[in-house]
Structures are given as structure tokens and as C-alpha cells.
Amino acid sequence: MRENLRELWRYRELLFAMVEREIRIRYKNSVLGFFWSLINPLVTMLVLWLVFKFFLRNSTENFTPNVLAAYLPFMFVQLAVLDSSQSVLVSLQVVKKVYFPREILPLAGVIANFVHYLLALVVFFLYMFVVWASTGFQDSPFTWRIAFLPILLIVTVSLTTGLALIVSALNVFYEDVKYAISILLYLLFFLTPVMYFSENVYYSIKNAGLPPVLYDIYHLNPLATLATTYKKVLVPPGPVDAGGGLGLVQPLPMNWGLFGVTFLVSVGLLAGGYALFNRLKWRFVERP
Amino acid sequence: MSTPAILIEDLHKEFIVSHSGAGSLKTALLWWKRRRLETLKVLNGLSFQVGQGECVALIGKNGAGKSTLLSLIARVYRPTSGRITVNGRTAPLLELGAGFHPDLTGLENILFNAMILGLSRKDALARTGEIVDFAELGGQIDAPVRTFSSGMLARLGFAIAVNVDADILIVDEVLAVGDFEFEEKCYRKIEEFRSVGHTILFVSHQMESVMRVADRCLLLEHGQVSMEGAPSDVIARYHESG
């Protein structure tokens, strides 16, 4: 492991050049170029508002920013994993002819998407600021919890990198891994509290008279815990529309226990994924 | 005796080959349809060395293991057993244009490829001028590589490989792509490369070029070195056995 990390460090400039290339290629033949990354969150915001606030009349306070706070990182995980799943396979011709640390390929996919996520996050904060300004600067939407954002980003990136390493390595040998993973991520989107809230899950379980431990089991999905943590960190707490005749409920406090579990799972996935990738990487060129 | 540039000791390489193409999760799960896999021995206990500043040619029939050997030295493959010791930085030229991205311009690809071959960003940037001059691509260098002809790709690939300050150049039969004039230029560059004490190991089917540039020649048969010596002797033996 140490040996591999040292080798990766020696090729760090290639990694950054690869990230730059990924970003450059994406916008190479487009008119709007880099603005695409800014337009996407803006349009998403508009559609979310239209659907949930206007059509469905959800009365949750700060609904749109809440959803967006979780939607953006989810999209980052999804795009980064899908992009990098193919990364080794599409570069196999290069991999067969030149030596360089192979993990650079999926890592570049993750980092390029992370850059886009950071840009989207800037748009998100601008939106929050504009809304705040339009109310004449009453009740600042920025709380002390934002200080927690860097740790949250680190956990998200290590989870994503771990997944990307595993998926990209396996996809070389089993080409349908990327289909399996794209279906899985699509379904996970609905099983993750992005468009709804952990509070919805909590009160639905309670109302149906089911054992409360189901709430914890649901949050063993690291993306579920992350989505809720992003909402609680980026948007000030307010009453949530629990639906089903329950009306508005008070928000649940941060669940540090669940976040701790997610933290451990993410770090474990990163270490395990890197180990797996390094075991398999010499066999990429020899795949039967 | 000084340390050799390349030292190969009892090198073995086996490949697992499948008769049904790439795998999928589906075939992995359907055990009654499991693929038949066979082991193919390409290199069987190969040993030789290349001294500093030497120019060595590898010849042999198709399937003798020449390209596999070069790929092993270039660290693309890992040996099944045996040892490879390389003293110095290598610039492998196993296929021209490998690693070029079609949508990026010639210049962007130069920078990127030079970095893949181990240059830092700063050094790579400093080299682009020389590379562009050598490749003689003129204004075309700012166009996307997908618009290049195969001859132009060959020139650019060669220009990068010989200009990245490597100690050892590993060439797999790629010089026969350019026109006569460019080929001459490549030979001159190879001479220059050698005159400053760099090492070259190359594979060729063109016996004239072997006679012309090689100090020593190795004949590969069935994954082993069956003869080594002066190019003229080894070529004579190769023609006899064929």
C-alpha cells in the first residue's frame, strides 16, 4: 500500500493533467462551455420549486434549498462513479502500451466531478444569499453548522473514491458491472432522502407501528445519512411537512451515531477499494 | 564491468486466454456456461542483458515473444516469474499514437504524452518546442489530433518519445510508417541518441535497419534467446531456420 501511494505521489502531475483533460474534453465542443456546470444547478432549482412547492404544495420551510443541498452531492457521487466505471476500459489501449499508475484513471474521473460539484456548491450559496438579501437580510441562512462542511466533503469523497476504484477495476473483467451499478444508483436515489426527509421516514415507521430500529437500518445506506447531514449542515433547521395528515413536525436533531457509522464505512470502502484495485491492476492488460 | 542498462534473468510469462471474449457478470454467475480458459506460455526462461549505450535488435518470427518482452520491460505486464532490472528511465514506443486523445490538439497531446512518459509539467512544457520542430507538423499542431493522418501521428509519437530525456528507448517496429525522408531523420536521431550514451532496444522485421543500427542482435524462438551475436551472423541463421 505504501509503495503504491508513493508511486501515485510521483505521478501527481499526470493526475492533475488528466483532471484538466477530463474537464477540457467535456466542454470542448460546446457553445456554453464551462457555464454548463453553473446552469445545471440553477435549472434543477427551478424545476424543484415548480414541482414540489407549486404542484405538490409541500409546506416544509426552505424546501428547495433542502432538496438541493442533498441533490448536488448525490449527483456528484452518481456521476463520479459512472464516469470512472468506464475509465480503465476506455483507456485500455493506452494502458496496454505505457506504464503509469493505473489508479490515476478512476481518480481523475472522481476529481473532475468533484470540481463540478464545488462549482455547483458556489451557485447554491449564491442562491441562499440572494434569497436572504430579498428578505432584507433577516434570519441569516448561514449557521455555525457550515463549519462542518469540510468533514462532510471528505467523507463523501472517500466514499465515492472507494466505490469508483472498485467499480472501475471490476468493470474491466465483467463489462456489465457498469449497468448493474447504474441501476443500483438509480434505485438508491429513491431510497435516499433527497426529495423527501429523514423525518418522513421516521414518522412513517412510527405511525405504522413498526420497530424504530428500521429507521437505523434505512440509514445504514451511507448515502442516506450523508444526504440528511448535508441538509442539516447547509440549511437552517425548520419544521418539516411529514405528510399523511401529520402536518408539520419538528426536525430531528443531528444523529452523530449514524454519521460515525457512515464515516467508518466510507474510510473502509476507500481502503478496501484501493487494496482491491491494486490487486487487480496488473491483470487489466491480460484480461481474458 | 559497469552495470547493464537492462538485465533479464530467467524470465517467464504466461497468459490466460479465453475462447469466448471478454467476460460479464452473467457468464460468471452461469457456471454451466463457464468459459474455457487456457494458459499460453510466451516466454520460457529468457535471460540476456543490454549494456549502457548499446543498441540491440530483437528479431524472430511472429509469436516468438518479442513484443511481450518489450511490454514487460516497459512495465506494462508483470512477469510470471524471473527478474527484470532496468537502470535508467525508459521511453517505450510500443505503438505510435498510443495515448493520444482525438479531441485534443497536437500541442495538448504533446504535453500530456510527455507527462505520461515521466516528465514533470515544467519539463514537458520546455520540450514542446523541440518536439513540434522535430515532428514538422507546422500549423497543424493546433488542430485536434483526430484530423491527423497516420503518418503525422507516427511523426508526433516518435518526436515525443525521443525528446523526453529517457536513458533507454524501447521501440517496437514502428518506424516503417513515415515517408523516406522522415525515416532517414529517425535514423539520424537514433544515431544521435546513441552517441550521447543512451541505450536502445528495438524489434524489427526489416533486416536492413537491423544491419544498419544494431551493435548486437538477439534471435528469439519459442520464448527463448536461441542465438545472440553480430547482426550479420544472427540474420544469416534466422534466414536458414525460416
Side-chain angles (χ1 to χ4, degrees):
Chain A
M1 179 86 101
R2 283 247 301 272
E3 192 56 40
N4 281 310
L5 282 173
R6 201 174 302 142
E7 188 76 352
L8 183 61
W9 176 248
R10 269 207 294 167
Y11 277 84
R12 64 192 179 278
E13 288 200 329
L14 180 65
L15 175 59
F16 297 134
M18 196 85 95
V19 171
E20 199 191 314
R21 190 180 79 159
E22 289 264 317
I23 293 172
R24 220 185 262 263
I25 291 168
R26 184 168 311 179
Y27 301 116
K28 196 81 182 176
N29 296 317
S30 66
V31 190
L32 292 173
F34 215 63
F35 285 99
W36 275 118
S37 343
L38 306 181
I39 291 171
N40 189 11
L42 282 174
V43 173
T44 309
M45 217 141 26
L46 210 72
V47 171
L48 284 176
W49 179 85
L50 187 72
V51 173
F52 289 97
K53 291 303 271 190
F54 192 71
F55 294 159
L56 293 175
R57 311 236 188 125
N58 192 303
S59 56
T60 302
E61 205 171 283
N62 288 326
F63 184 84
T64 313
N66 256 312
V67 171
L68 204 65
Y71 177 83
L72 295 177
F74 191 93
M75 280 298 123
F76 156 61
V77 176
Q78 185 168 37
L79 290 176
V81 172
L82 288 181
D83 269 5
S84 44
S85 71
Q86 284 283 75
S87 62
V88 178
L89 206 55
V90 295
S91 296
L92 208 58
Q93 280 314 312
V94 191
V95 169
K96 277 182 176 169
K97 298 297 172 193
V98 204
Y99 168 82
F100 57 90
R102 276 59 173 112
E103 52 270 38
I104 282 184
L105 296 166
L107 289 183
V110 172
I111 298 175
N113 277 295
F114 188 62
V115 171
H116 289 123
Y117 171 50
L118 289 182
L119 279 172
L121 213 49
V122 171
V123 177
F124 173 81
F125 281 123
L126 279 177
Y127 166 83
M128 297 278 278
F129 184 82
V130 168
V131 171
W132 184 33
S134 71
T135 60
F137 295 105
Q138 292 174 332
D139 305 325
S140 166
F142 306 108
T143 64
W144 57 271
R145 294 156 189 257
I146 287 175
F148 194 63
L149 182 62
I151 300 167
L152 201 46
L153 291 178
I154 290 171
V155 176
T156 311
V157 169
S158 59
L159 175 78
T160 311
T161 310
L163 283 175
L165 287 168
I166 294 170
V167 173
S168 62
L170 291 180
N171 197 51
V172 176
F173 303 104
Y174 305 111
E175 287 188 29
D176 42 6
V177 166
K178 69 162 184 291
Y179 301 122
I181 209 77
S182 67
I183 294 167
L184 192 72
L185 282 168
Y186 171 75
L187 294 176
L188 265 182
F189 180 74
F190 296 103
L191 288 175
T192 297
V194 176
M195 297 295 181
Y196 54 95
F197 291 77
S198 279
E199 281 79 1
N200 293 110
V201 178
Y202 181 81
Y203 284 103
S204 294
I205 289 171
K206 201 176 167 189
N207 235 24
L210 295 166
V213 70
L214 284 175
Y215 176 81
D216 295 322
I217 291 173
Y218 171 92
H219 284 88
L220 283 183
N221 162 18
L223 289 171
T225 305
L226 280 177
T228 293
T229 315
Y230 269 106
K231 287 178 180 178
K232 295 202 182 296
V233 165
L234 293 179
V235 187
V240 176
D241 188 342
L246 287 171
L248 289 176
V249 293
Q250 280 311 302
L252 296 170
M254 261 285 266
N255 193 326
W256 294 103
L258 283 173
F259 186 75
V261 172
T262 301
F263 179 86
L264 291 179
V265 168
S266 303
V267 173
L269 259 176
L270 178 61
Y274 194 46
L276 179 78
F277 191 92
N278 282 325
R279 265 179 69 110
L280 293 176
K281 69 178 176 185
W282 288 100
R283 285 172 45 205
F284 289 165
V285 283
E286 299 174 20
R287 66 184 200 129
Chain B
M1 210 182 90
S2 65
T3 51
I6 303 169
L7 178 65
I8 310 274
E9 293 161 287
D10 193 30
L11 187 64
H12 288 263
K13 182 67 195 170
E14 291 171 1
F15 288 103
I16 294 167
V17 285
S18 145
H19 294 287
S20 49
S24 64
L25 278 180
K26 192 189 77 188
T27 47
L29 293 173
L30 302 177
W31 67 90
W32 63 91
K33 279 191 177 174
R34 192 139 290 172
R35 293 177 292 162
R36 284 186 302 129
L37 299 176
E38 278 173 24
T39 313
L40 183 71
K41 288 186 175 164
V42 181
L43 300 180
N44 303 304
L46 191 117
S47 303
F48 71 90
Q49 52 174 293
V50 179
Q52 305 270 3
E54 239 191 328
C55 179
V56 174
L58 282 172
I59 60 172
K61 288 184 200 142
N62 288 335
K66 303 184 295 295
S67 297
T68 305
L69 176 58
L70 293 193
S71 301
L72 277 160
I73 297 171
R75 289 210 288 168
V76 169
Y77 295 139
R78 185 172 258 191
T80 307
S81 69
R83 263 171 54 148
I84 303 173
T85 318
V86 178
N87 293 303
R89 224 182 66 216
T90 57
L93 201 53
L94 301 185
E95 189 179 288
L96 289 178
F100 286 156
H101 195 286
D103 280 341
L104 295 179
T105 69
L107 266 182
E108 289 165 336
N109 269 303
I110 289 176
L111 190 66
F112 192 70
N113 243 28
M115 288 177 73
I116 285 188
L117 291 177
L119 283 193
S120 67
R121 188 184 200 91
K122 212 177 83 200
D123 291 344
L125 275 171
R127 281 303 139 90
T128 43
E130 266 170 78
I131 294 171
V132 172
D133 283 347
F134 188 87
E136 298 174 24
L137 291 169
Q140 187 79 26
I141 203 74
D142 293 316
V145 158
R146 70 181 125 84
T147 63
F148 284 25
S149 69
S150 59
M152 289 159 77
L153 283 177
R155 283 198 247 171
L156 191 59
F158 186 81
I160 296 170
V162 294
N163 280 304
V164 291
D165 282 338
D167 308 300
I168 305 164
L169 189 63
I170 297 172
V171 189
D172 189 359
E173 194 145 32
V174 280
L175 293 183
V177 213
D179 54 21
F180 176 72
E181 216 171 299
F182 190 74
E183 206 181 310
E184 278 303 309
K185 194 172 170 180
C186 292
Y187 282 124
R188 280 204 301 280
K189 188 73 193 180
I190 286 176
E191 285 299 331
E192 191 190 312
F193 198 79
R194 288 181 55 196
S195 65
V196 289
H198 291 335
T199 310
I200 300 171
L201 179 65
F202 74 104
V203 162
S204 185
H205 286 292
Q206 290 175 298
M207 296 307 146
E208 313 92 80
S209 49
V210 174
M211 288 295 281
R212 184 170 169 181
V213 293
D215 301 318
R216 206 149 57 89
C217 187
L218 301 177
L219 176 61
L220 246 62
E221 278 179 329
H222 311 296
Q224 281 171 324
V225 178
S226 63
M227 185 183 176
E228 63 175 293
S232 50
D233 300 345
V234 179
I235 289 171
R237 156 81 181 277
Y238 176 54
H239 284 311
E240 270 169 41
S241 71

Coordinates of all heavy atoms in Angstrom, one line a residue, chain A residues 9-53:
Chain A
W9 N 2.1 9.4 -5.8 CA 2.6 10.8 -5.5 C 3.6 11.2 -6.5 O 3.6 12.4 -6.9 CB 3.2 10.8 -4.1 CG 3.8 12.1 -3.7 CD1 5.1 12.4 -3.5 CD2 3.1 13.3 -3.4 NE1 5.3 13.7 -3.2 CE2 4.1 14.3 -3.1 CE3 1.7 13.7 -3.5 CZ2 3.7 15.6 -2.8 CZ3 1.4 15.0 -3.2 CH2 2.4 15.9 -2.9
R10 N 4.4 10.3 -7.0 CA 5.4 10.7 -8.0 C 4.7 11.1 -9.3 O 5.2 11.9 -10.1 CB 6.3 9.5 -8.3 CG 7.5 9.5 -7.4 CD 8.7 8.8 -8.1 NE 8.4 7.4 -8.2 CZ 9.1 6.6 -9.0 NH1 10.1 7.0 -9.7 NH2 8.7 5.3 -9.1
Y11 N 3.5 10.5 -9.6 CA 2.8 10.8 -10.8 C 1.7 11.8 -10.6 O 0.8 11.9 -11.4 CB 2.2 9.5 -11.4 CG 3.2 8.7 -12.2 CD1 4.1 7.9 -11.6 CD2 3.3 8.9 -13.6 CE1 5.0 7.1 -12.3 CE2 4.2 8.2 -14.3 CZ 5.1 7.3 -13.7 OH 6.0 6.6 -14.5
R12 N 1.8 12.6 -9.5 CA 0.7 13.5 -9.2 C 0.5 14.6 -10.3 O -0.7 14.9 -10.6 CB 0.9 14.2 -7.9 CG 2.2 15.1 -7.8 CD 2.5 15.6 -6.4 NE 3.7 16.4 -6.4 CZ 5.0 15.9 -6.4 NH1 5.2 14.6 -6.5 NH2 6.0 16.7 -6.4
E13 N 1.5 15.0 -11.0 CA 1.3 16.0 -12.0 C 0.5 15.4 -13.2 O -0.2 16.1 -13.8 CB 2.7 16.5 -12.5 CG 3.4 17.4 -11.5 CD 4.4 18.3 -12.1 OE1 5.0 17.9 -13.1 OE2 4.6 19.4 -11.6
L14 N 0.8 14.1 -13.5 CA 0.0 13.5 -14.5 C -1.5 13.4 -14.1 O -2.4 13.6 -14.9 CB 0.5 12.1 -14.8 CG -0.2 11.3 -15.8 CD1 0.0 11.9 -17.2 CD2 0.3 9.8 -15.9
L15 N -1.7 13.1 -12.8 CA -3.1 13.1 -12.3 C -3.8 14.4 -12.6 O -4.9 14.5 -13.1 CB -3.1 12.7 -10.8 CG -4.5 12.7 -10.2 CD1 -5.5 11.8 -10.8 CD2 -4.3 12.4 -8.7
F16 N -3.1 15.5 -12.2 CA -3.8 16.8 -12.4 C -3.9 17.1 -13.9 O -5.0 17.7 -14.3 CB -2.9 17.9 -11.7 CG -2.9 17.7 -10.2 CD1 -1.7 17.8 -9.5 CD2 -4.1 17.3 -9.5 CE1 -1.7 17.6 -8.1 CE2 -4.0 17.1 -8.2 CZ -2.9 17.2 -7.4
A17 N -3.0 16.7 -14.7 CA -3.1 17.0 -16.1 C -4.3 16.2 -16.7 O -5.0 16.6 -17.5 CB -1.8 16.5 -16.9
M18 N -4.5 15.0 -16.1 CA -5.6 14.1 -16.5 C -7.0 14.7 -16.1 O -7.9 14.7 -16.9 CB -5.5 12.7 -15.9 CG -6.3 11.6 -16.5 SD -5.4 10.9 -17.8 CE -4.6 9.5 -17.1
V19 N -7.0 15.3 -14.9 CA -8.2 16.0 -14.5 C -8.5 17.2 -15.4 O -9.7 17.3 -15.9 CB -8.1 16.5 -13.0 CG1 -9.2 17.4 -12.6 CG2 -7.9 15.4 -12.1
E20 N -7.5 17.9 -15.7 CA -7.6 19.1 -16.6 C -8.2 18.6 -18.0 O -9.1 19.2 -18.5 CB -6.3 19.8 -16.7 CG -6.3 21.2 -17.2 CD -4.9 21.7 -17.6 OE1 -4.0 21.4 -16.8 OE2 -4.8 22.2 -18.7
R21 N -7.6 17.5 -18.4 CA -8.0 17.0 -19.7 C -9.5 16.6 -19.7 O -10.3 16.9 -20.6 CB -7.2 15.8 -20.1 CG -7.4 15.3 -21.5 CD -6.5 14.1 -21.9 NE -7.0 12.9 -21.3 CZ -6.7 11.7 -21.8 NH1 -5.8 11.6 -22.7 NH2 -7.3 10.6 -21.3
E22 N -9.9 15.9 -18.6 CA -11.3 15.5 -18.5 C -12.2 16.7 -18.6 O -13.2 16.7 -19.3 CB -11.5 14.8 -17.1 CG -10.9 13.5 -16.9 CD -11.9 12.4 -17.2 OE1 -13.0 12.5 -16.7 OE2 -11.5 11.4 -17.9
I23 N -11.9 17.7 -17.8 CA -12.7 18.9 -17.8 C -12.7 19.6 -19.2 O -13.8 20.0 -19.7 CB -12.2 19.9 -16.7 CG1 -12.5 19.2 -15.3 CG2 -13.0 21.2 -16.8 CD1 -11.9 20.0 -14.2
R24 N -11.5 19.7 -19.8 CA -11.4 20.3 -21.1 C -12.2 19.6 -22.2 O -13.0 20.2 -22.9 CB -10.0 20.2 -21.5 CG -9.4 21.5 -22.2 CD -8.0 21.2 -22.6 NE -7.1 21.7 -21.7 CZ -6.5 22.9 -21.9 NH1 -6.8 23.6 -22.9 NH2 -5.6 23.3 -21.0
I25 N -12.1 18.2 -22.2 CA -12.8 17.5 -23.2 C -14.3 17.6 -23.1 O -15.1 17.7 -24.0 CB -12.5 16.0 -23.1 CG1 -11.0 15.8 -23.5 CG2 -13.4 15.1 -23.9 CD1 -10.5 14.4 -23.2
R26 N -14.8 17.7 -21.8 CA -16.2 17.8 -21.6 C -16.8 19.0 -22.3 O -17.9 19.0 -22.8 CB -16.6 17.8 -20.1 CG -18.0 17.8 -19.8 CD -18.3 17.5 -18.4 NE -17.6 16.3 -17.8 CZ -17.7 15.9 -16.6 NH1 -18.5 16.6 -15.8 NH2 -17.1 14.9 -16.2
Y27 N -16.1 20.1 -22.3 CA -16.6 21.3 -22.8 C -16.1 21.7 -24.2 O -16.3 22.8 -24.7 CB -16.4 22.5 -21.8 CG -17.0 22.2 -20.5 CD1 -16.2 22.1 -19.3 CD2 -18.4 22.1 -20.4 CE1 -16.8 21.8 -18.1 CE2 -18.9 21.8 -19.1 CZ -18.1 21.7 -18.0 OH -18.7 21.4 -16.8
K28 N -15.3 20.8 -24.7 CA -14.5 21.1 -25.9 C -15.4 21.6 -27.1 O -15.2 22.6 -27.7 CB -13.7 19.9 -26.4 CG -12.6 20.2 -27.3 CD -11.4 20.8 -26.7 CE -10.3 21.1 -27.6 NZ -9.2 21.7 -27.0
N29 N -16.5 20.8 -27.3 CA -17.3 21.1 -28.5 C -18.6 21.7 -28.1 O -19.6 21.5 -28.8 CB -17.5 19.8 -29.3 CG -16.2 19.3 -29.8 OD1 -15.4 20.1 -30.3 ND2 -16.0 18.0 -29.7
S30 N -18.7 22.5 -27.0 CA -19.9 23.0 -26.6 C -19.9 24.6 -26.6 O -18.8 25.1 -26.4 CB -20.3 22.5 -25.2 OG -19.4 23.0 -24.3
V31 N -21.0 25.2 -26.9 CA -21.0 26.6 -27.1 C -20.9 27.3 -25.7 O -20.1 28.2 -25.5 CB -22.4 27.1 -27.7 CG1 -22.3 28.5 -28.1 CG2 -22.7 26.2 -28.9
L32 N -21.6 26.8 -24.7 CA -21.7 27.5 -23.4 C -20.5 27.1 -22.6 O -20.2 27.8 -21.5 CB -23.0 27.1 -22.7 CG -24.2 27.6 -23.3 CD1 -25.5 27.1 -22.6 CD2 -24.2 29.1 -23.3
G33 N -19.7 26.1 -22.9 CA -18.5 25.7 -22.3 C -18.7 25.5 -20.8 O -19.6 24.8 -20.4
F34 N -17.9 26.2 -20.0 CA -17.9 25.9 -18.6 C -19.2 26.3 -17.9 O -19.5 25.8 -16.8 CB -16.7 26.7 -18.0 CG -16.1 26.0 -16.8 CD1 -15.4 24.8 -17.0 CD2 -16.1 26.6 -15.5 CE1 -14.9 24.1 -16.0 CE2 -15.5 25.9 -14.5 CZ -14.9 24.7 -14.7
F35 N -20.0 27.2 -18.5 CA -21.2 27.6 -17.9 C -22.2 26.5 -17.7 O -23.1 26.6 -16.9 CB -21.8 28.8 -18.7 CG -21.1 30.0 -18.5 CD1 -20.2 30.5 -19.4 CD2 -21.3 30.8 -17.3 CE1 -19.5 31.7 -19.2 CE2 -20.7 32.0 -17.1 CZ -19.7 32.4 -18.0
W36 N -22.0 25.4 -18.4 CA -22.9 24.2 -18.2 C -23.0 23.8 -16.8 O -24.0 23.5 -16.2 CB -22.5 23.0 -19.1 CG -23.0 23.1 -20.5 CD1 -22.3 23.2 -21.6 CD2 -24.4 23.1 -20.9 NE1 -23.1 23.2 -22.7 CE2 -24.4 23.2 -22.3 CE3 -25.6 23.0 -20.2 CZ2 -25.6 23.2 -23.0 CZ3 -26.7 23.0 -20.9 CH2 -26.7 23.1 -22.3
S37 N -21.8 23.8 -16.1 CA -21.8 23.4 -14.7 C -22.6 24.3 -13.8 O -23.0 23.9 -12.7 CB -20.4 23.2 -14.1 OG -19.5 23.2 -15.1
L38 N -22.7 25.6 -14.2 CA -23.5 26.5 -13.4 C -24.9 26.5 -13.7 O -25.8 26.7 -12.8 CB -22.9 27.9 -13.6 CG -21.4 28.1 -13.4 CD1 -21.0 29.5 -13.6 CD2 -21.0 27.6 -12.0
I39 N -25.2 26.2 -15.0 CA -26.6 26.2 -15.4 C -27.4 25.0 -14.8 O -28.5 25.2 -14.3 CB -26.7 26.2 -17.0 CG1 -26.2 27.5 -17.5 CG2 -28.1 25.9 -17.4 CD1 -26.0 27.5 -19.0
N40 N -26.7 23.9 -14.7 CA -27.4 22.7 -14.3 C -28.0 22.9 -12.9 O -29.2 22.7 -12.7 CB -26.4 21.5 -14.3 CG -27.0 20.2 -14.0 OD1 -28.3 20.1 -13.9 ND2 -26.3 19.2 -13.7
P41 N -27.3 23.3 -11.9 CA -28.0 23.5 -10.6 C -29.1 24.6 -10.6 O -30.1 24.4 -9.9 CB -26.8 23.9 -9.6 CG -25.7 24.2 -10.5 CD -25.8 23.5 -11.8
L42 N -28.9 25.6 -11.4 CA -29.9 26.7 -11.5 C -31.2 26.1 -12.0 O -32.3 26.4 -11.5 CB -29.4 27.8 -12.4 CG -28.4 28.8 -11.7 CD1 -27.9 29.8 -12.7 CD2 -29.1 29.5 -10.5
V43 N -31.1 25.4 -13.1 CA -32.3 24.8 -13.7 C -32.9 23.8 -12.8 O -34.2 23.7 -12.6 CB -32.0 24.2 -15.1 CG1 -33.2 23.4 -15.7 CG2 -31.5 25.2 -16.1
T44 N -32.1 23.0 -12.1 CA -32.6 22.0 -11.2 C -33.4 22.7 -10.1 O -34.5 22.2 -9.7 CB -31.5 21.2 -10.5 OG1 -30.6 20.7 -11.6 CG2 -32.0 20.1 -9.7
M45 N -32.9 23.8 -9.6 CA -33.6 24.5 -8.6 C -35.0 25.0 -9.0 O -35.9 24.9 -8.3 CB -32.7 25.8 -8.2 CG -32.7 26.1 -6.8 SD -31.1 26.7 -6.2 CE -30.2 27.3 -7.6
L46 N -35.0 25.5 -10.2 CA -36.3 26.0 -10.8 C -37.3 24.9 -10.9 O -38.5 25.0 -10.5 CB -36.0 26.6 -12.2 CG -36.9 27.7 -12.6 CD1 -36.5 28.9 -11.8 CD2 -36.7 27.9 -14.1
V47 N -36.9 23.7 -11.4 CA -37.8 22.6 -11.6 C -38.3 22.1 -10.2 O -39.5 21.8 -10.0 CB -37.1 21.5 -12.4 CG1 -38.0 20.2 -12.4 CG2 -36.9 22.0 -13.8
L48 N -37.3 22.0 -9.3 CA -37.7 21.5 -7.9 C -38.8 22.4 -7.3 O -39.8 21.9 -6.7 CB -36.5 21.5 -7.0 CG -35.4 20.4 -7.2 CD1 -34.3 20.6 -6.3 CD2 -36.1 19.1 -6.9
W49 N -38.6 23.7 -7.4 CA -39.6 24.6 -6.9 C -40.9 24.4 -7.5 O -41.9 24.3 -6.9 CB -39.1 26.1 -7.1 CG -40.0 27.1 -6.6 CD1 -40.1 27.5 -5.3 CD2 -41.1 27.7 -7.3 NE1 -41.1 28.4 -5.2 CE2 -41.8 28.5 -6.4 CE3 -41.6 27.6 -8.6 CZ2 -42.9 29.3 -6.8 CZ3 -42.7 28.3 -9.0 CH2 -43.3 29.2 -8.1
L50 N -40.9 24.3 -8.9 CA -42.1 24.2 -9.6 C -42.9 22.9 -9.2 O -44.1 23.0 -8.9 CB -41.8 24.1 -11.1 CG -43.0 24.1 -12.1 CD1 -43.6 25.5 -12.1 CD2 -42.6 23.7 -13.5
V51 N -42.2 21.8 -9.1 CA -42.8 20.5 -8.8 C -43.3 20.5 -7.3 O -44.4 20.2 -7.0 CB -41.9 19.3 -9.1 CG1 -42.5 18.0 -8.6 CG2 -41.6 19.2 -10.6
F52 N -42.4 20.7 -6.4 CA -42.7 20.5 -5.0 C -43.4 21.6 -4.3 O -44.3 21.4 -3.5 CB -41.4 20.1 -4.2 CG -40.9 18.8 -4.6 CD1 -39.9 18.6 -5.6 CD2 -41.5 17.6 -4.0 CE1 -39.5 17.3 -5.9 CE2 -41.0 16.4 -4.4 CZ -40.0 16.2 -5.3
K53 N -43.1 22.8 -4.6 CA -43.7 24.0 -3.9 C -45.0 24.4 -4.6 O -46.0 24.7 -4.0 CB -42.8 25.2 -3.9 CG -41.6 25.0 -3.0 CD -42.0 24.7 -1.5 CE -42.2 25.9 -0.7 NZ -42.3 25.5 0.8

